[in-house]
Amino acid sequence: MDELVTILVKGTLTSKKFKVHKGFAVHYSPVFKSAFNSSFKEGRTQTYELEDTTKGAVQLLVEWIYTQKLDLNGLEEEKTWDAQCMCLANLWVLADKLLMRSLQNSAMGKLETLCARHHWIPVVILNYVYDNTQKKSQLRRFLLYKCALKLDAENYTRFPEEFPKEMLLELAVYLIEAMDDLPDKSKFPKFKISDYEVPES
């Protein structure tokens, strides 16, 4: 019988332990493999501690290890669409740290499914994503594309606190580069200096 290891989610108020068969954990994560087979604390205790994530994200990770599927219906706290999107963003970041590329892609696919179902972009996750990912990460690129394609000007003025400065700069560059690739620029407004003059009367 394969031995069990523990993934411990440490929170500010409460912690939660998830038991996983070691063979599954080390098969899907090189980080788990290195940690649980080392002479360091993780190897001696067969416990891996996580602090910068959520219980929901780890619950999805453990379920994915066994099934390669993500079922958001089983989440205890993340019932709203915004909360589920945030949970998937946490999961993507966690999978990135654990070098679980297939899980990252599963999380991305599920996030796209939620966006398509609700016809909306989860702007509530933008600050978290930009605080926890590297420049030009696939998750950032995905969100930039979605924002450029789906959001109108009112979205940016109504929810300015949801858009990190770094993201807005990247979005400006993204849109400029996209415009440069357009074969027909005739729809872009023609320049007239009178449009920018101050009315004198």
Side-chain angles (χ1 to χ4, degrees):
M1 178 72 74
D2 189 15
E3 65 178 302
L4 294 174
V5 294
T6 301
I7 301 175
L8 175 62
V9 185
K10 299 187 72 174
T12 54
L13 298 176
T14 60
S15 298
K16 185 167 183 176
K17 294 180 179 180
F18 292 85
K19 295 288 186 179
V20 186
H21 287 90
K22 183 176 179 179
F24 283 91
V26 302
H27 175 75
Y28 287 106
S29 170
V31 175
F32 283 153
K33 182 177 182 179
S34 177
F36 290 130
N37 292 322
S38 73
S39 58
F40 296 107
K41 178 182 177 182
E42 293 85 359
R44 294 194 308 271
T45 63
Q46 294 295 283
T47 298
Y48 195 95
E49 296 183 2
L50 295 168
E51 294 186 358
D52 298 325
T53 191
T54 64
K55 296 172 188 175
V58 178
Q59 177 183 329
L60 290 177
L61 179 146
V62 170
E63 291 175 358
W64 184 89
I65 283 177
Y66 286 104
T67 67
Q68 282 71 67
K69 296 179 181 179
L70 295 177
D71 183 7
L72 303 180
N73 294 321
L75 295 173
E76 296 178 4
E77 300 175 358
E78 294 83 356
K79 296 299 184 183
T80 66
W81 178 74
D82 285 349
Q84 289 181 345
C85 289
M86 182 62 80
C87 187
L88 289 169
N90 272 273
L91 178 62
W92 193 97
V93 170
L94 176 59
D96 187 37
K97 292 176 181 177
L98 297 174
L99 303 179
M100 300 174 70
R101 303 311 183 205
S102 293
L103 178 55
Q104 284 182 275
N105 291 334
S106 293
M108 183 80 77
K110 184 64 75 170
L111 187 58
E112 162 61 9
T113 298
L114 288 182
C115 289
R117 184 182 303 158
H118 291 266
H119 307 288
W120 183 240
I121 309 303
V123 295
V124 294
I125 74 174
L126 292 175
N127 281 296
Y128 170 80
V129 169
Y130 271 78
D131 285 341
N132 292 277
T133 59
Q134 298 295 317
K135 190 173 183 179
K136 294 188 178 180
S137 78
Q138 296 297 75
L139 184 54
R140 286 192 186 192
R141 292 181 62 241
F142 167 79
L143 291 169
L144 277 176
Y145 176 83
K146 287 294 183 180
C147 287
L149 189 67
K150 296 292 186 180
L151 298 185
D152 57 27
E154 185 182 358
N155 298 132
Y156 294 95
T157 55
R158 284 182 61 198
F159 311 106
E161 69 283 353
E162 301 291 0
F163 297 94
K165 179 181 178 181
E166 186 178 0
M167 180 260 178
L168 293 175
L169 290 172
E170 289 182 5
L171 183 61
V173 171
Y174 180 89
L175 292 173
I176 290 170
E177 291 176 345
M179 286 178 56
D180 287 341
D181 292 336
L182 289 177
D184 181 14
K185 296 184 175 61
S186 62
K187 293 184 179 180
F188 198 76
K190 299 290 185 182
F191 175 78
K192 293 188 300 181
I193 190 61
S194 59
D195 290 337
Y196 302 95
E197 293 177 343
V198 179
E200 296 183 17
S201 59

